[in-house]
Amino acid sequence: MQTEFLIQIKDLKASIDNKEILKGLSLEVKPGEIHAIMGPNGSGKSTLANVLTGREIATVTAGTVTFEGKNLLEMSPEERAREGIFLSFQYPIEIPGVSMVNFMKTAINEQRKHRGLEPLSASEFLRQMREKKELVEIDSALTNRSVNEGFSGGEKKKNEIFQMAMLEPRLALLDETDSGLDIDALRIVANGVNKIRRPDTSVIVITHYQRLLDYIVPDFVHVLYDGRIVKSGGPELALKLEERGYDWIRKEAEVSEETWTTDRK
Amino acid sequence: MENDQDKLLGEVTSGEYKYGFVTDIETDVIPKGLSEDVVRLISAKKEEPEWMLEFRLKAFRHWQTMKMPNWAHLRIPEIDYQEIIFYAAPKQKKSLNSLSDVDPELLKTFDKLGIPLEEQKHLAGVAVDAVMDSISVKTTFRETLAEMGIIFCSFSEAVKEHPGLVQKYLASVVPYTDNFFATLNSAVFSDGSFCYIPKGVRCPMELSTYFRINASNTGQFERTLLIADEDAYVSYLEGCTAPMRDENQLHAAVVEIVAERGAEVKYSTVQNWYPGDKEGKGGIFNFVTKRGICKGDNSKISWTQVETGSAITWKYPSCILRGNNSVGEFYSVAVTNNYQQADTGTKMIHIGRNTKSTIVSKGISAGFGQNSYRGLVKVLGKAEGARNFSQCDSLLLGDKCGAHTFPYIEVDNPSAIVEHEATTSRIGEDQIFYCNQRGISTEDAIGLIVNGYAREVINKLPMEFAVEAQKLLQISLEGSVG
Ligand SMILES: Nc1ncnc2c1ncn2[C@@H]1O[C@H](COP(=O)(O)OP(=O)(O)OP(=O)(O)O)[C@@H](O)[C@H]1O
Ligand SMILES: [Mg+2]
């Protein structure tokens, strides 16, 4: 039987150096849905992205994550990527000496191999590079350089979305992709994401600001607070947060935590 | 190139040393140990003329007064020279008239190493001298080269057939008194390659020597002499492998290069001697003296080395820039993984006016490996307008390995310009993870990063060997992260 969800996160707990960061997080995303995750600094948003992509900074202590019916937590980071999970890094990494062309080609062909496809021919690969470069309006001067080396903050973010366009993931996690982008770049990148998306591509957008959500319109907005999702709603929730900040959530969260425990009995 | 790279990334499957097999072949070995009698015996086995024996004996007597050098940043276990066999030769018919005379086991061995000795099968445009243990097994394309006046043969044959040339140039760059290992080599050297390119001739193919140690408890002491006469050009490549054995084996070679006026010599090495196992057991001690002289004006010598093998490497391919406007180059990638140690670099001696040298050294350390760059740039008083540029980079994988740089600079001419740059970087877990997140495995990620780092040097290798070298770099670092 086909599962209804692309990814299903249940009661996920994760610690860094024995300090619990994610404290029982649940989230379900269906194919094609866009979910926004907002929340104050340090609430665990990037940690969630790390846990989902298999970065070993945090240790999972409880909970399950099912991706297309498979146990995601058992997979290596590269397997998760090949299965179609893509992370646009909050802080993209520089790899001096490795050309973007070589990097992208290796990545694409690894993913193709995983799907039982032949490696792309050189000409087809270059054609895709050209096409996707136009989509996110990234300068050829950048893609001819080493991976992220000496790129400005905004250029790095653009480069992340360019890679997303090349890899065509099933689930994209965008961790503050809007930060560091100027107004024009924000529009280009956000519209790029919309163009890359196919009807069944799901996106989890981590952001602090409504401005990105003006372009990438979410189906659901969640507030991550102290390691848990404490509030979920529609796009209007983001607007409310923009207006009122997190204080009211903080108060509500503290209250609802108690009601939660009594409710359950 | 891109395609080759993909292929080689795909090809690599295990981190084991691929060349560790032993050929089962009857071998003529002399009793172990070193004495004047052994030196005489080697000379007799090779049916050498009197002058050659005299040279050996002079060297041997001098060696007995010498001590093992201890200035390198290396931990070298005591070597018992009485436990080493100094001559071992695969048995085969006396004179080889054609390939069908070569023992099929030997052909198979070199085939397995990717060095087919049948000329029609071989990489187009590469002539090979194949040396197993103490003797040269076969030299390909000799006739083709002879038509142009190029001599390319085993050192033993050169002693017999071109004694004039050998006597003129032997030990003219590395004197028999030079250093402990070079002196030992001068006494007991067995075989190696000899090459002479006549005036004005550009050698139309890559010349290469492939060294293979097979017999156990045996040292290999080869001697290579390369002469490029006026305005001649040659590109030369050496490769080497050895079986996996628990004991250490000694390899002490001497390479001498002479470039006359306007001549150019490119010498490339892909060194892949058995490095020992993961615990540091076994492996080759690679103590080598390589030196070239730019004797005439406008001559050029270029050393390129990719060093991935050996338990211990001690070698400093150097250039004596005597001719005015002569050029010396040294491009090196040295890998030390597990318990490997390397102390390697170069010496550039500027004697002539307007001499130029370039040094690019890329050290890569992983595991418990220790990697040192040691380089001397010396500008003599008469070397008006001398220039040197040195770039020494170190790349570290993990935190148990070490990288060290020992640059020595001596300048006696005020017009000289000497520049030295050095960097140290580390392959970070975040870089690996970034690659992983795009679907690239850790091994492939290291391959990408290391090959990117070493590209400047790899690009100096002849095309066919560049691919081989990239593959080797990746294999030799497998299992070093995560
Ligand atoms: N490598 C690390 N070592 C120690 N603590 C860490 C590490 N990474 C994250 N943390 C801690 O985990 C908590 C959650 O961090 P995380 O990066 O997930 O927050 P965030 O919600 O993404 O914040 P921001 O909005 O500032 O990006 C923080 O308290 C942070 O200090
Ligand atoms: Mg974050």
Side-chain angles (χ1 to χ4, degrees):
Chain A
M1 198 191 79
Q2 186 80 32
T3 113
E4 192 190 350
F5 298 107
L6 177 64
I7 189 165
Q8 200 171 18
I9 305 167
K10 273 194 195 152
D11 211 17
L12 186 65
K13 294 183 181 173
S15 310
I16 300 176
D17 299 334
N18 292 320
K19 186 180 159 230
E20 191 160 77
I21 308 291
L22 299 181
K23 302 178 178 173
L25 185 150
S26 300
L27 180 67
E28 289 168 337
V29 178
K30 290 181 190 165
E33 284 179 353
I34 298 180
H35 290 241
I37 296 183
M38 307 181 80
N41 295 130
S43 56
K45 302 182 298 296
S46 295
T47 302
L48 174 63
N50 286 338
V51 167
L52 294 182
T53 52
R55 196 173 194 171
E56 280 171 358
I57 296 172
T59 320
V60 175
T61 53
T64 57
V65 182
T66 313
F67 183 74
E68 291 194 303
K70 292 176 216 154
N71 180 354
L72 189 73
L73 299 178
E74 267 182 358
M75 297 181 202
S76 68
E78 59 268 33
E79 275 178 289
R80 300 180 198 204
R82 293 169 195 165
E83 288 286 326
I85 294 184
F86 177 90
L87 171 62
S88 167
F89 284 66
Q90 182 174 4
Y91 305 108
I93 311 293
E94 300 193 6
I95 313 181
V98 177
S99 71
M100 269 306 292
V101 171
N102 225 343
F103 180 72
M104 260 350 307
K105 201 162 165 190
T106 310
I108 283 201
N109 285 334
E110 283 301 324
Q111 305 215 358
R112 288 180 67 89
K113 193 160 85 191
H114 186 70
R115 291 170 203 153
L117 299 170
E118 289 289 301
L120 276 187
S121 70
S123 59
E124 175 57 19
F125 172 75
L126 290 174
R127 194 193 61 72
Q128 288 199 15
M129 285 279 282
R130 240 187 343 262
E131 184 189 308
K132 303 295 159 71
K133 269 193 300 212
E134 277 166 25
L135 208 65
V136 294
E137 300 183 28
I138 191 168
D139 202 323
S140 288
L142 291 181
T143 51
N144 288 337
R145 298 209 327 234
S146 291
V147 179
N148 291 325
E149 193 186 23
F151 287 26
S152 74
E155 287 168 345
K156 284 181 182 167
K157 294 304 178 70
K158 244 189 186 181
N159 192 23
E160 294 293 288
I161 300 307
F162 166 69
Q163 294 177 50
M164 174 182 166
M166 290 295 289
L167 295 168
E168 300 182 337
R170 299 276 290 114
L171 172 67
L173 309 166
L174 310 183
D175 193 354
E176 295 195 28
T177 299
D178 51 339
S179 72
L181 290 174
D182 66 41
I183 296 159
D184 291 333
L186 177 70
R187 178 176 38 80
I188 294 163
V189 163
N191 284 333
V193 171
N194 289 332
K195 282 185 235 166
I196 297 163
R197 280 181 61 214
R198 284 171 308 197
D200 64 341
T201 310
S202 305
V203 184
I204 296 178
V205 192
I206 296 171
T207 183
H208 288 294
Y209 304 103
Q210 171 62 32
R211 60 188 182 199
L212 180 65
L213 305 180
D214 287 341
Y215 298 101
I216 306 174
V217 181
D219 301 298
F220 302 95
V221 175
H222 310 276
V223 178
L224 182 56
Y225 180 82
D226 193 23
R228 290 185 191 88
I229 288 177
V230 295
K231 197 162 191 68
S232 299
E236 72 290 342
L237 178 57
L239 291 166
K240 192 170 170 190
L241 288 169
E242 181 114 315
E243 201 180 300
R244 298 178 53 184
Y246 292 106
D247 248 11
W248 63 281
I249 295 268
R250 190 165 291 142
K251 291 192 189 103
E252 216 172 86
E254 274 153 19
V255 176
S256 70
E257 216 171 9
E258 313 228 318
T259 31
W260 182 243
T261 39
T262 43
D263 271 358
R264 267 183 127 179
K265 285 185 181 159
Chain B
M1 242 351 243
E2 292 290 341
N3 255 335
D4 286 339
Q5 224 157 35
D6 287 352
K7 210 173 80 207
L8 93 228
L9 288 180
E11 265 176 16
V12 178
T13 48
S14 90
E16 297 299 312
Y17 186 73
K18 278 202 308 193
Y19 310 95
F21 63 90
V22 178
T23 306
D24 187 13
I25 190 163
E26 233 190 299
T27 306
D28 175 18
V29 286
I30 65 170
K32 66 184 181 184
L34 184 54
S35 64
E36 201 165 303
D37 284 344
V38 168
V39 174
R40 286 178 192 280
L41 183 58
I42 293 171
S43 187
K45 287 253 176 212
K46 306 187 85 68
E47 299 165 346
E48 285 176 350
E50 192 57 29
W51 59 265
M52 198 67 255
L53 175 62
E54 280 311 312
F55 176 83
R56 289 177 181 277
L57 289 173
K58 241 181 356 190
F60 179 68
R61 284 167 199 144
H62 187 71
W63 184 73
Q64 286 178 304
T65 69
M66 298 173 95
K67 278 207 174 66
M68 173 106 163
N70 62 0
W71 41 260
H73 189 82
L74 297 171
R75 285 218 314 256
I76 307 172
E78 186 96 36
I79 298 170
D80 184 348
Y81 291 90
Q82 299 311 328
E83 285 300 316
I84 295 173
I85 296 168
F86 284 83
Y87 183 88
K91 271 193 190 145
Q92 52 179 352
K93 285 186 202 138
K94 264 263 134 97
S95 67
L96 295 176
N97 293 319
S98 74
L99 200 65
S100 54
D101 290 344
V102 179
D103 188 310
E105 272 301 312
L106 280 177
L107 290 183
K108 253 197 273 171
T109 299
F110 283 94
D111 255 344
K112 225 162 138 182
L113 296 168
I115 318 286
L117 297 180
E118 294 94 327
E119 292 181 5
Q120 67 275 17
K121 264 211 221 165
H122 203 271
L123 289 166
V126 183
V128 184
D129 183 20
V131 176
M132 169 102 101
D133 295 329
S134 305
I135 64 159
S136 166
V137 174
K138 163 85 187 160
T139 311
T140 62
F141 292 108
R142 284 180 64 158
E143 291 76 20
T144 322
L145 293 167
E147 282 165 23
M148 305 182 75
I150 296 171
I151 304 168
F152 180 44
C153 62
S154 73
F155 199 91
S156 317
E157 287 168 290
V159 169
K160 285 179 199 151
E161 286 162 29
H162 309 282
L165 281 173
V166 174
Q167 272 178 291
K168 179 171 174 196
Y169 289 106
L170 176 69
S172 70
V173 195
V174 180
Y176 75 90
T177 50
D178 195 82
N179 71 73
F180 187 83
F181 297 112
T183 304
L184 176 63
N185 174 287
S186 300
V188 301
F189 73 86
S190 34
D191 219 335
S193 301
F194 176 86
C195 169
Y196 172 81
I197 317 287
K199 276 185 196 167
V201 171
R202 271 188 79 86
C203 185
M205 53 178 88
E206 303 282 343
L207 299 188
S208 84
T209 305
Y210 195 91
F211 296 103
R212 172 76 179 167
I213 295 179
N214 187 55
S216 61
N217 296 311
T218 306
Q220 193 177 49
F221 306 92
E222 87 262 359
R223 184 111 199 169
T224 297
L225 182 52
L226 250 157
I227 302 139
D229 215 327
E230 291 178 11
D231 298 315
Y233 167 86
V234 64
S235 167
Y236 189 91
L237 186 117
E238 121 197 313
C240 37
T241 57
M244 296 200 260
R245 297 188 188 281
D246 284 347
E247 88 260 10
N248 295 111
Q249 280 179 280
L250 178 61
H251 171 255
V254 172
V255 175
E256 296 178 277
I257 299 177
V258 179
E260 299 284 3
R261 184 170 51 76
E264 180 177 350
V265 178
K266 265 183 74 142
Y267 193 104
S268 314
T269 304
V270 176
Q271 188 265 105
N272 187 25
W273 295 116
Y274 177 53
D277 68 8
K278 289 195 163 51
E279 275 75 50
K281 198 165 184 202
I284 303 293
F285 292 162
N286 188 33
F287 301 138
V288 172
T289 306
K290 289 182 167 173
R291 197 176 301 154
I293 182 164
C294 287
K295 216 168 153 184
D297 293 352
N298 306 312
S299 55
K300 177 175 175 182
I301 293 176
S302 178
W303 298 100
T304 304
Q305 60 173 22
V306 175
E307 304 277 316
T308 59
S310 296
I312 302 178
T313 294
W314 178 101
K315 93 181 223 202
Y316 315 90
S318 302
C319 299
I320 300 169
L321 303 172
R322 202 172 80 187
N324 295 326
N325 312 313
S326 61
V327 176
E329 293 176 339
F330 174 75
Y331 295 95
S332 167
V333 177
V335 177
T336 51
N337 194 4
N338 300 317
Y339 286 89
Q340 283 178 275
Q341 310 175 60
D343 192 300
T344 184
T346 185
K347 295 178 187 177
M348 293 290 176
I349 316 294
H350 293 256
I351 301 173
R353 274 179 282 112
N354 299 316
T355 45
K356 273 205 197 77
S357 63
T358 305
I359 298 171
V360 176
S361 161
K362 305 262 180 184
I364 302 171
S365 317
F368 297 88
Q370 291 293 328
N371 208 322
S372 302
Y373 166 80
R374 186 181 304 277
L376 168 68
V377 176
K378 187 175 179 137
V379 179
L380 275 68
K382 293 207 177 92
E384 201 66 34
R387 296 205 57 157
N388 161 267
F389 174 75
S390 301
Q391 171 83 44
C392 300
D393 298 331
S394 307
L395 183 68
L396 300 167
L397 285 80
D399 52 11
K400 294 183 180 64
C401 51
H404 319 272
T405 311
F406 304 100
Y408 304 81
I409 299 171
E410 298 170 18
V411 178
D412 287 331
N413 186 303
S415 69
I417 302 174
V418 175
E419 290 171 87
H420 181 92
E421 285 176 14
T423 67
T424 301
S425 50
R426 201 176 280 279
I427 296 188
E429 277 172 30
D430 50 352
Q431 290 176 326
I432 303 278
F433 179 74
Y434 192 77
C435 294
N436 290 161
Q437 212 304 301
R438 301 305 187 238
I440 302 169
S441 71
T442 300
E443 301 293 6
D444 288 348
I446 291 172
L448 275 175
I449 295 170
V450 164
N451 281 317
Y453 168 79
R455 186 159 49 218
E456 193 182 346
V457 174
I458 302 275
N459 282 350
K460 296 283 169 187
L461 289 174
M463 178 63 183
E464 300 85 334
F465 302 105
V467 175
E468 178 75 8
Q470 279 192 332
K471 201 157 58 180
L472 259 181
L473 277 185
Q474 184 167 8
I475 293 172
S476 57
L477 285 168
E478 255 167 38
S480 54
V481 163

